[in-house]
Amino acid sequence: MLKYILPKSLTWWTGVASIVTGAAQIAAPDAKAIGQVGEVLSLANGAGSAPTPATLIVLGLGLIGLRRKLEGQ
């Protein structure tokens, strides 16, 4: 578990931000600012516009896992 925590990695931080934004959209679906942050994150990562909270969470988990895989076991 701790091998996936890489606070010096920009990819890791992007993944964490995607997960937190997706969770925030679930908690407060009417918050317009959170939706805008989610759109920026998904566009920056190539996921397209108008992301759902589930898309952001899966994107974040994928980025964290991908980063670990690219660094090697």
Side-chain angles (χ1 to χ4, degrees), residues 28-64:
D30 295 333
K32 189 172 184 175
I34 296 172
Q36 291 173 341
V37 170
E39 285 185 31
V40 170
L41 282 171
S42 67
L43 286 174
N45 291 308
S49 61
T52 63
T55 302
L56 286 171
I57 292 171
V58 169
L59 173 69
L61 291 172
L63 287 173
I64 290 171

Side-chain angles (χ1 to χ4, degrees), residues 2-12 63-73:
L2 291 176
K3 60 185 173 183
Y4 286 95
I5 298 174
L6 303 167
K8 293 182 180 179
S9 168
L10 183 59
T11 305
W12 185 81
L63 287 173
I64 290 171
L66 179 67
R67 175 66 183 170
R68 178 66 188 148
K69 185 64 177 174
L70 290 177
E71 282 193 352
Q73 312 298 316

Side-chain angles (χ1 to χ4, degrees), residues 11-38:
T11 305
W12 185 81
W13 280 109
T14 304
V16 169
S18 295
I19 293 168
V20 169
T21 304
Q25 283 183 342
I26 291 171
D30 295 333
K32 189 172 184 175
I34 296 172
Q36 291 173 341
V37 170

